């Protein structure tokens, strides 16, 4: 199991990548999300909500309640938090592949209507990886919450 290299605990947690890189909206990423709202909205379904990513590519907000902000230039922090989690939530970006390294399912969030731009390239690349978990998708907050609720 690839995740064993990074996992320090089995947790009822989720890891969210709060993307800020690029335009406020695009065909590849959809419209902008309010990640602080998203983190708090999913918190009833998990014991801990980790907000992870690199400082240069992530939105910043404060830890509060179950939400623990772990933005760091040290990739080992992100790998540990995602490996310990039951789910990764991210927009369509390079972070969609992290779950293949940490053995964690990924929910791709895209605020808008499909199709998601360049998704064919992403799926082609993923076919050549371990491909343990097919991607799941959510196109609005209600779909994100329904997906998280389905895990309980």
């Amino acid at each position: 199991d690839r995740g064993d290299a990074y996992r320090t605990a089995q947790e009822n947690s989720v890891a969210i990548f709060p993307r800020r890189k690029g335009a406020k909206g695009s065909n590849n990423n959809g419209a902008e999300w309010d990640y602080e709202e998203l983190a708090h909205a999913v918190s009833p379904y998990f014991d801990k909500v980790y907000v992870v990513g690199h400082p240069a590519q992530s939105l910043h907000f404060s830890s509060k309640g179950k939400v623990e902000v772990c933005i760091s230039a040290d990739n080992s922090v992100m790998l540990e938090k995602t490996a310990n989690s039951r789910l990764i939530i991210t927009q369509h970006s390079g972070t969609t592949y992290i779950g293949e390294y940490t053995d964690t399912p990924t929910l791709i969030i895209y605020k808008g209507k499909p199709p998601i731009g360049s998704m064919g390239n992403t799926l082609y690349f993923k076919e050549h990886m371990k491909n343990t978990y097919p991607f799941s998708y959510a196109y609005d907050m209600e779909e994100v919450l329904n997906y998280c609720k389905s895990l309980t």
Side-chain angles (χ1 to χ4, degrees), residues 3 13 29 33 45 49 69 80 89 107 111 113 132-133 150:
S13 60
N29 300 316
W33 287 83
Y45 306 106
V49 177
V69 178
E80 175 190 349
I89 298 176
L107 176 65
K111 190 182 280 186
K113 300 281 186 210
T132 304
Y133 302 102
S150 76

Side-chain angles (χ1 to χ4, degrees), residues 11-16 37-50 65-67 84-89 107 140-152:
E11 300 177 343
N12 180 32
S13 60
V14 60
I16 299 175
E37 176 188 11
L38 176 67
H40 290 288
V42 302
S43 68
Y45 306 106
F46 301 96
D47 297 330
K48 185 64 75 173
V49 177
Y50 295 117
K66 293 181 182 180
V67 177
N84 289 354
S85 293
R86 294 179 52 218
L87 178 66
I88 295 169
I89 298 176
L107 176 65
D140 59 34
M141 182 69 81
E142 182 179 357
E143 289 185 5
V144 172
L145 297 178
N146 286 339
Y147 187 88
C148 292
K149 184 177 182 179
S150 76
L151 298 177
T152 58

Side-chain angles (χ1 to χ4, degrees), residues 8-89:
T8 59
Q10 290 281 352
E11 300 177 343
N12 180 32
S13 60
V14 60
I16 299 175
F17 285 86
R19 183 180 176 87
R20 77 169 170 105
K21 181 181 174 188
K24 296 220 181 265
S26 74
N27 190 37
N28 282 343
N29 300 316
E32 190 173 32
W33 287 83
D34 180 334
Y35 284 102
E36 188 168 10
E37 176 188 11
L38 176 67
H40 290 288
V42 302
S43 68
Y45 306 106
F46 301 96
D47 297 330
K48 185 64 75 173
V49 177
Y50 295 117
V51 178
V52 298
H54 190 280
Q57 299 174 343
S58 302
L59 290 171
H60 298 270
F61 51 91
S62 298
S63 298
K64 182 179 178 185
K66 293 181 182 180
V67 177
E68 183 178 328
V69 178
C70 304
I71 304 294
S72 175
D74 180 353
N75 283 338
S76 68
V77 173
M78 174 272 300
L79 289 167
E80 175 190 349
K81 300 306 183 189
T82 56
N84 289 354
S85 293
R86 294 179 52 218
L87 178 66
I88 295 169
I89 298 176

Side-chain angles (χ1 to χ4, degrees), residues 94-129:
T95 60
T96 58
Y97 306 114
I98 298 296
E100 292 300 326
Y101 295 100
T102 62
D103 199 28
T104 311
T106 299
L107 176 65
I108 297 176
I109 56 173
Y110 184 88
K111 190 182 280 186
K113 300 281 186 210
I116 299 173
S118 299
M119 199 64 200
N121 294 336
T122 300
L123 294 172
Y124 177 80
F125 184 77
K126 186 172 168 57
E127 286 176 19
H128 299 286
M129 299 181 76

